[in-house]
Amino acid sequence: MSTPKKGNIFIISAASGTGKTTLVSRLLKHHGDIRVSISHTTRQAREGEVHGKHYYFIDIPKFENLIRENAFLEHAKVFDNYYGTSIEGVNLLREQGYDVILEIDIQGAEQVRRILPDACSIFILPPSFQILAERLIGRATDSEEVINKRLNKARHEIEQAFFFDYVVVNEDLDVAENDLLHIIKAHRLKQNSQQLFIENLLENS
């Protein structure tokens, strides 16, 4: 029996430097039924980043035009740059049966939780603030001024973990990835996620 399936939405947020992007990349590599929504942003691409793969890099006027067109599920301005999640892009992946990860900041996560209360939200925590600072410095991608801004903002970001459904501490990548996968699998088995299967089963009984 062919069962229609619409993918779930998983919000994953964290303070900068917690390892969120690395964890999401590992999930995508190991599990073909999961996709990440590619965000639009107005910031400059970093070395190695590819348009259409890591982000859709667009200018501010184009981004603001998309806001007026209500093209974003969520959008936010972070450190003078816009970031946004395309409604069309997310819906397309879900209709294809993929579970979709929204790798977004706390502002975007709040918007999505309000619009889509059934979305599963997960917050990634660092083992300590000292380790968080070491990770940010070790990335060597930001200036000292930007690193200090991120550290000052980190406490506020981490306070938002109280509003998420699940919390994962990223001390060991293998353990944290496994924790994320368990959350995703458990969410797939919730009644509302299985509703289409139940309806299809009854129709063909």
Side-chain angles (χ1 to χ4, degrees):
M1 178 175 61
S2 177
T3 304
K5 175 185 179 294
K6 188 173 184 179
N8 300 295
I9 291 181
F10 295 92
I11 304 165
I12 298 184
S13 297
S16 294
T18 307
K20 171 173 85 304
T21 300
T22 300
L23 282 170
V24 170
S25 296
R26 288 169 65 109
L27 277 175
L28 297 179
K29 180 179 179 181
H30 298 149
H31 305 282
D33 53 355
I34 301 172
R35 292 287 188 273
V36 67
S37 171
I38 301 173
S39 298
H40 290 66
T41 184
T42 59
R43 76 161 171 79
Q44 294 296 310
R46 294 171 179 155
E47 185 177 353
E49 289 183 330
V50 178
H51 177 80
K53 180 180 179 181
H54 299 95
Y55 286 96
Y56 292 111
F57 297 99
I58 60 176
D59 59 27
I60 291 176
K62 185 171 183 179
F63 195 103
E64 292 179 339
N65 186 55
L66 289 171
I67 293 175
R68 288 189 290 271
E69 294 175 355
N70 294 315
F72 294 120
L73 179 60
E74 60 80 28
H75 67 276
K77 197 170 188 179
V78 183
F79 298 120
D80 301 322
N81 289 303
Y82 283 115
Y83 294 82
T85 301
S86 163
I87 295 173
E88 182 181 3
V90 170
N91 285 339
L92 179 61
L93 289 171
R94 294 187 72 198
E95 291 297 336
Q96 292 173 343
Y98 294 110
D99 286 331
V100 183
I101 289 176
L102 308 185
E103 186 188 338
I104 52 181
D105 73 346
I106 56 173
Q107 295 178 55
E110 182 181 3
Q111 293 177 53
V112 176
R113 289 200 307 268
R114 187 168 57 248
I115 297 169
L116 299 174
D118 288 338
C120 177
S121 58
I122 307 167
F123 199 90
I124 311 298
L125 289 176
S128 68
F129 272 95
Q130 180 181 350
I131 290 175
L132 179 61
E134 291 171 356
R135 288 175 179 174
L136 285 173
I137 294 169
R139 290 197 313 193
T141 56
D142 297 314
S143 66
E144 183 178 351
E145 180 183 359
V146 170
I147 289 173
N148 287 333
K149 280 184 179 181
R150 293 188 187 280
L151 287 173
N152 289 334
K153 193 178 180 183
R155 182 175 182 84
H156 169 67
E157 291 174 326
I158 290 172
E159 287 174 349
Q160 304 308 304
F162 291 110
F163 300 103
F164 284 68
D165 297 318
Y166 297 91
V167 172
V168 171
V169 177
N170 183 20
E171 183 169 8
D172 178 276
L173 279 172
D174 290 332
V175 174
E177 180 189 356
N178 196 44
D179 288 343
L180 282 175
L181 185 60
H182 276 80
I183 292 169
I184 290 171
K185 287 183 174 180
H187 190 77
R188 289 172 178 169
L189 299 177
K190 292 184 69 174
Q191 181 274 130
N192 58 351
S193 296
Q194 296 290 330
Q195 186 172 341
L196 289 175
F197 178 87
I198 297 168
E199 292 172 353
N200 193 60
L201 184 67
L202 292 172
E203 287 175 4
N204 291 276
S205 61

